[in-house]
Amino acid sequence: MKSWLCGVFGAITMLAAPVQAEDCKPLKMFESIALSSSHDGRRLYVPVQINGQNKRLLLDTGAPISMISDDLVKLLGLDTHRAKVRLYDVTGIYTDHYARAPFKIGRLTLGESEFMVSPGLNHMDEPDVVGTLGSDFLAMFDISIDPVAKKLDLLDPDHCLDKVIYWPASAIAKVPVERLRDGHIVLSLELDGKPVRAILDTGAEGSTLRIEAAHALLGIIPGGPETPVSGQLNGVKDLATYRHVFKSLSFEGVAVANPTLTLIPDMIDEPLSSTPLGTLIKEKNLAARPDMLLGMDILRHVHIYIAYKDRLVYVTPLETPPPTK
């Protein structure tokens, strides 16, 4: 559906070519982009140009398709078209229309590009934040995200395997990932020594764990002194959420100490499951569904490199810890 391939220096045409051992190439950076952030560092914003207007998009590896607000579409006078998919957010607001507009990020001009249009994005954090930059764009590249330096690097995915860490690192974790049909990246991690599967989502401020997984893997019982009630899922009073501080979350040896996770009910068989996040396509194998959503409260403590084509995520500890908020 997307028209992202409308020319990135004319060089992106080679991104789809398979990497051959004899053609192993050094790492090549297309663009390095200075990001801005929310006051607590849990949201990263990418400066872009849409239809010649300087705006910002939320960096969102958890979004399968990039989106812009309905207000921006009206402001720019863009035509909308019916899409073949319907995308929902966690509140049940959905979109089934898209718009085309000239798009530029850094020095990369991508021509007429398509964005899903959502009224749910009309009231984001700041006036010039008008949507989300999702995996349909990001997966064209390898990407490096440094949350302390506030930098997003876009790199050529045609390179030597594992030769990707170009910054000082005291340790490197190499984590295989899978791509779900809806585009989500899923990593296998260890939470307090137990294996969990987590969606990597830079668009989420906080991290969550399904209550069922917390109980099955670690024997956690919601409502006790160590796991108090913290709120309600989507504002539904009968759907309580809970907070629990764990000892460690490990990415193949690179660990984040004392992560706080919100425990949420599993809604797969409840009425709200008719409004899934991100796609109409449901995973049939329920046992294979991810246990966690890994958000920026944890990701802001590590430097990550996502090699979409190689299905790998590299993680290094931050040499300079993020500021305390």
Side-chain angles (χ1 to χ4, degrees), residues 6 13 20 40 97 106 176 184 243 281 303:
C6 297
T13 53
Q20 303 295 332
D40 60 2
H97 282 74
H184 284 131
R243 185 181 70 254
I281 303 173
H303 189 158

mmCIF file of all heavy atoms in Angstrom, residues 6 13 20 40 97 106 176 184 243 281 303:
data_model
loop_
_atom_site.group_PDB
_atom_site.id
_atom_site.type_symbol
_atom_site.label_atom_id
_atom_site.label_comp_id
_atom_site.label_asym_id
_atom_site.label_seq_id
_atom_site.Cartn_x
_atom_site.Cartn_y
_atom_site.Cartn_z
ATOM 1 N N CYS A 6 9.600 5.725 -3.300
ATOM 2 C CA CYS A 6 9.634 6.723 -4.354
ATOM 3 C C CYS A 6 10.958 7.458 -4.385
ATOM 4 O O CYS A 6 11.018 8.652 -4.627
ATOM 5 C CB CYS A 6 8.476 7.709 -4.172
ATOM 6 S SG CYS A 6 6.867 6.953 -4.300
ATOM 7 N N THR A 13 16.599 1.347 -4.033
ATOM 8 C CA THR A 13 16.250 0.217 -4.891
ATOM 9 C C THR A 13 17.108 -1.000 -4.591
ATOM 10 O O THR A 13 16.701 -2.124 -4.847
ATOM 11 C CB THR A 13 16.416 0.599 -6.372
ATOM 12 O OG1 THR A 13 17.734 1.119 -6.569
ATOM 13 C CG2 THR A 13 15.389 1.648 -6.760
ATOM 14 N N GLN A 20 24.644 -11.412 -0.199
ATOM 15 C CA GLN A 20 25.444 -12.585 -0.480
ATOM 16 C C GLN A 20 26.740 -12.497 0.312
ATOM 17 O O GLN A 20 27.277 -11.403 0.552
ATOM 18 C CB GLN A 20 25.761 -12.660 -1.978
ATOM 19 C CG GLN A 20 24.528 -12.665 -2.869
ATOM 20 C CD GLN A 20 23.680 -13.903 -2.681
ATOM 21 O OE1 GLN A 20 24.215 -14.964 -2.310
ATOM 22 N NE2 GLN A 20 22.392 -13.800 -2.935
ATOM 23 N N ASP A 40 9.761 13.637 30.083
ATOM 24 C CA ASP A 40 10.243 12.493 30.849
ATOM 25 C C ASP A 40 11.064 11.519 30.008
ATOM 26 O O ASP A 40 11.483 10.476 30.505
ATOM 27 C CB ASP A 40 9.066 11.761 31.508
ATOM 28 C CG ASP A 40 8.049 11.245 30.496
ATOM 29 O OD1 ASP A 40 8.261 11.406 29.269
ATOM 30 O OD2 ASP A 40 7.017 10.695 30.930
ATOM 31 N N HIS A 97 -9.096 5.086 6.422
ATOM 32 C CA HIS A 97 -8.788 5.978 5.305
ATOM 33 C C HIS A 97 -7.305 6.353 5.331
ATOM 34 O O HIS A 97 -6.667 6.324 6.382
ATOM 35 C CB HIS A 97 -9.636 7.250 5.368
ATOM 36 C CG HIS A 97 -11.048 7.059 4.904
ATOM 37 N ND1 HIS A 97 -11.990 6.401 5.676
ATOM 38 C CD2 HIS A 97 -11.673 7.411 3.744
ATOM 39 C CE1 HIS A 97 -13.143 6.371 5.025
ATOM 40 N NE2 HIS A 97 -12.975 6.968 3.853
ATOM 41 N N GLY A 106 14.856 14.355 7.277
ATOM 42 C CA GLY A 106 16.251 14.727 7.097
ATOM 43 C C GLY A 106 16.492 15.146 5.654
ATOM 44 O O GLY A 106 15.753 15.942 5.074
ATOM 45 N N PRO A 176 17.549 -12.534 18.586
ATOM 46 C CA PRO A 176 16.716 -12.850 17.415
ATOM 47 C C PRO A 176 15.289 -12.346 17.623
ATOM 48 O O PRO A 176 14.780 -12.340 18.752
ATOM 49 C CB PRO A 176 16.754 -14.379 17.351
ATOM 50 C CG PRO A 176 17.945 -14.775 18.164
ATOM 51 C CD PRO A 176 18.071 -13.734 19.233
ATOM 52 N N HIS A 184 4.511 -6.263 13.977
ATOM 53 C CA HIS A 184 5.173 -6.096 15.273
ATOM 54 C C HIS A 184 6.460 -6.900 15.351
ATOM 55 O O HIS A 184 6.566 -8.007 14.817
ATOM 56 C CB HIS A 184 4.240 -6.526 16.407
ATOM 57 C CG HIS A 184 3.163 -5.538 16.712
ATOM 58 N ND1 HIS A 184 1.836 -5.896 16.837
ATOM 59 C CD2 HIS A 184 3.205 -4.203 16.919
ATOM 60 C CE1 HIS A 184 1.117 -4.828 17.105
ATOM 61 N NE2 HIS A 184 1.921 -3.788 17.153
ATOM 62 N N ARG A 243 0.485 -2.983 39.405
ATOM 63 C CA ARG A 243 1.889 -2.588 39.247
ATOM 64 C C ARG A 243 2.771 -3.548 40.028
ATOM 65 O O ARG A 243 2.470 -3.897 41.174
ATOM 66 C CB ARG A 243 2.093 -1.164 39.746
ATOM 67 C CG ARG A 243 3.513 -0.626 39.495
ATOM 68 C CD ARG A 243 3.682 0.781 40.036
ATOM 69 N NE ARG A 243 3.669 0.807 41.498
ATOM 70 C CZ ARG A 243 2.661 1.237 42.229
ATOM 71 N NH1 ARG A 243 1.549 1.689 41.648
ATOM 72 N NH2 ARG A 243 2.718 1.225 43.556
ATOM 73 N N ILE A 281 -6.258 -8.386 11.689
ATOM 74 C CA ILE A 281 -5.769 -9.761 11.622
ATOM 75 C C ILE A 281 -5.411 -10.234 13.015
ATOM 76 O O ILE A 281 -4.590 -9.638 13.699
ATOM 77 C CB ILE A 281 -4.535 -9.860 10.703
ATOM 78 C CG1 ILE A 281 -4.877 -9.347 9.305
ATOM 79 C CG2 ILE A 281 -4.016 -11.283 10.645
ATOM 80 C CD1 ILE A 281 -3.681 -9.254 8.389
ATOM 81 N N HIS A 303 20.623 1.271 24.319
ATOM 82 C CA HIS A 303 20.794 1.694 22.928
ATOM 83 C C HIS A 303 20.463 0.477 22.065
ATOM 84 O O HIS A 303 21.029 -0.591 22.266
ATOM 85 C CB HIS A 303 22.237 2.146 22.707
ATOM 86 C CG HIS A 303 22.497 2.800 21.389
ATOM 87 N ND1 HIS A 303 23.555 3.646 21.173
ATOM 88 C CD2 HIS A 303 21.839 2.729 20.196
ATOM 89 C CE1 HIS A 303 23.547 4.085 19.928
ATOM 90 N NE2 HIS A 303 22.523 3.535 19.312
#
